[in-house]
Every structure is written in structure tokens, then in C-alpha cells.
Amino acid sequence: MSDGKTKEKKVDRLNLLRESINKNLGLIFIATMCIVLILFISLQMRVNNLSTTVEQYIENANLRNEEIINKVENLSNEMKLCSQVKIDRDQFTEIYMQLQELTGMISNEVKREYYITKAVNEISKNNSTLDSKSIYEISKTIYEEAVKYNFNPLLITSLIKTESTYNPKALSEAYAYGLCQVRRFIAPELAENLGIEWDGAEKTLFDPVKNIQIGVYYLSILNRDFNDLKTAIIAYNQGPYAVQELLINNQELPENYANKVLNYYANLRGFSLEEVQNEIEAAD
């Protein structure tokens, strides 16, 4: 009897153990499924984040590629435009001189030699009656006086060509004398301001050095008063009072003389008249 009861107890314990295991297996299964689900969701989120990052990277790369393509196309177009533009030796030299001057790489001696040589060649070509010593003296004075008043020496060279074709003894019907065609009635006062001894119109104004000194000084006064280089050139020819009256009455200024000077100036520099006029307007 005792053996039978013992067996029954063992069987009961086994049954309880089985039931307990079955219950726990269910919980374990549920817990395992929850963990798997959490891992799956986490993995899916990472995949989504990675996918978004890759898409953004691809989009940025495409934008960069598009930028590069646009830059290459723009550069190609600019190169095509540059290849269509042809400049002569004078224009290249002028551009080079200006760039060097802007960067401070050109010495005053090199600049001086360039402008004096340019003036010597221009005067020699247009006036065969002058000897080489006189031509050099005129060219040197043009450079020195132009630099003193912040003019381009080639502008003063062009003004003298227009006024007298480089003839130091030129005399007009309006009693304008010498290279710069300085008028007799204003010359004594200008000479006095410069400390130049006045020895009569002919002796003073037929002296090339004194004439250029007075003429460039006069142009600088007009440029200061009108604050516009082209207007100053017109006033040099027409007279400041005549120009002032036209401006007061809102009348158009005569530009033939100024355009002639500036056209010579443009040719000496290798540019067009329009380019020089734009440069002057920008400077003013």
C-alpha cells in the first residue's frame, strides 16, 4: 500500500512539473517573440535611417556634380568668349602695365621708360622736323607733368597731338601758343602760379618745357573744377566760362574736340574710344 501511495505522489509531482514547464514555456515563447519583435523594429529603424542617409548623400553628390558641371560649362563659355577677343600688342602692353601697377610689381623707372619711349615714337612719327634731343626732352616733360597731376602720360601726348601736332612753334589765330596751345591772356597768371618767370608770350610759351608745364597745370585746374575729365578737356578747348554757361542752361556740350583727343588716346593704348570713355566715366 505504501509503495502504491509513493508512486502516486511521484506521478503527481511529475504532472505538476509538466504543467509548470508548459506554463513557463508559454511565457518564455512570448518573451522571446517580444525580444525578436523589438530587435526587428530596431533593425528596421536603422535600415530606414541608413536608407535616408544614403539618399541624402546621393542627393548632395548630385547637387555637387550639377554645380561642377555648371562651373565647367561657364568656364567653357568664358574661354570661348576670350578666344574670340583679339588684342594687339599695344593693348596687351597697356593691360600688363596697369596690372603690374595695381599689384605694385612695376617700378617707377620701368613705367617712366615705357611712357617716354611711347611718346618719343609718337612724336617722331608725326613731326620729322624735330631733332632727337628735343623729342626726348618733350617726351620726358610730358611724363613728369602728367604724373605730377595724376594724368596718364598718353592722354597728355594725345592732347598735344590734337592741339599742335607736336609743333613747339605753333601759333593760332586766337593767339594760342606752342605745343599745348596755351592762350596768351591766361598764360601769365598760370606761369606765376607755377613760379615760371614770364618773359613774354613767345619766349615763354614757345619753350616746350614751360609750355607743357603750363598746359598740363591748366588742364588739372579744369579737371578739379568740373570734376569730370571729358568736360575738362572740352573746357580746355572751348574755355571754362563758355562750358559753364552751357551747363547752367542745360545745353549739350560740343564733344568733337574731346572725342578727337580721346580717340588718339585710345589708339595709343590699343583700346576703342568707347572703352576709354567708359574707363573715364568709371574713374570720375
Side-chain angles (χ1 to χ4, degrees):
M1 286 288 295
S2 59
D3 290 339
K5 288 181 179 179
T6 302
K7 286 180 181 179
E8 285 178 5
K9 286 181 180 180
K10 287 182 178 178
V11 170
D12 290 338
R13 287 176 184 170
L14 286 171
N15 289 334
L16 289 171
L17 181 63
R18 284 173 185 169
E19 288 177 6
S20 176
I21 289 170
N22 288 335
K23 289 179 181 178
N24 288 334
L25 280 173
L27 292 172
I28 291 169
F29 177 77
I30 292 170
T32 303
M33 291 302 295
C34 288
I35 292 169
V36 170
L37 184 61
I38 290 169
L39 290 174
F40 177 78
I41 292 170
S42 176
L43 181 61
Q44 186 65 40
M45 289 175 66
R46 289 185 181 181
V47 169
N48 290 340
N49 289 337
L50 181 62
S51 176
T52 303
T53 303
V54 169
E55 286 177 1
Q56 288 178 347
Y57 177 81
I58 292 171
E59 187 176 348
N60 291 337
N62 289 336
L63 287 173
R64 285 175 190 163
N65 288 338
E66 194 173 334
E67 269 181 39
I68 293 170
I69 291 169
N70 288 336
K71 286 181 180 178
V72 169
E73 287 179 352
N74 290 337
L75 183 60
S76 176
N77 291 334
E78 286 179 12
M79 289 177 67
K80 286 177 182 177
L81 288 173
C82 289
S83 66
Q84 293 171 1
V85 177
K86 296 180 180 179
I87 61 175
D88 60 25
R89 182 177 177 181
D90 287 337
Q91 189 172 5
F92 175 81
T93 305
E94 177 70 19
I95 293 169
Y96 175 78
M97 291 288 289
Q98 289 184 12
L99 287 173
Q100 295 295 301
E101 193 168 351
L102 284 172
T103 56
M105 293 176 65
I106 187 170
S107 68
N108 289 331
E109 188 59 35
V110 171
K111 185 167 66 171
R112 179 179 181 277
E113 188 63 30
Y114 167 75
Y115 284 117
I116 290 176
T117 302
K118 190 82 174 174
V120 166
N121 292 337
E122 176 65 13
I123 295 168
S124 301
K125 186 171 66 176
N126 287 274
N127 190 339
S128 59
T129 64
L130 292 171
D131 58 70
S132 57
K133 183 179 178 181
S134 298
I135 291 173
Y136 182 81
E137 189 67 24
I138 291 169
S139 302
K140 182 170 74 72
T141 306
I142 287 172
Y143 173 77
E144 290 171 350
E145 296 307 306
V147 170
K148 185 186 297 183
Y149 299 106
N150 203 28
F151 292 124
N152 187 311
L154 298 181
L155 175 67
I156 304 305
T157 305
S158 302
L159 180 84
I160 293 173
K161 180 179 182 180
T162 307
E163 288 289 346
S164 64
T165 321
Y166 311 113
N167 179 8
K169 303 296 183 183
L171 177 62
S172 75
E173 294 179 358
Y175 296 101
Y177 289 75
L179 291 169
C180 294
Q181 289 291 278
V182 181
R183 294 179 185 178
R184 186 173 63 185
F185 74 94
I186 61 167
E189 183 182 349
L190 296 172
E192 184 181 356
N193 291 344
L194 291 169
I196 295 174
E197 183 180 354
W198 183 256
D199 194 17
E202 289 191 5
K203 285 187 179 180
T204 307
L205 297 178
F206 282 159
D207 181 314
V209 173
K210 293 177 181 177
N211 187 285
I212 295 170
Q213 289 173 336
I214 294 171
V216 178
Y217 171 63
Y218 181 46
L219 180 63
S220 74
I221 293 173
L222 297 172
N223 191 40
R224 180 199 65 197
D225 291 346
F226 289 102
N227 197 30
D228 180 84
L229 182 56
K230 188 170 184 179
T231 305
I233 294 171
I234 295 170
Y236 189 92
N237 175 252
Q238 296 288 316
Y241 298 112
V243 169
Q244 189 66 43
E245 189 175 349
L246 289 171
L247 291 173
I248 290 171
N249 295 322
N250 292 320
Q251 292 180 282
E252 192 173 333
L253 297 179
E255 296 188 349
N256 289 341
Y257 171 83
N259 286 341
K260 190 174 182 181
V261 173
L262 295 177
N263 195 47
Y264 285 145
Y265 179 44
N267 288 335
L268 283 176
R269 295 178 62 195
F271 294 116
S272 68
L273 176 60
E274 183 182 2
E275 287 170 326
V276 166
Q277 287 178 328
N278 290 339
E279 179 187 69
I280 290 171
E281 287 175 8
D284 291 336

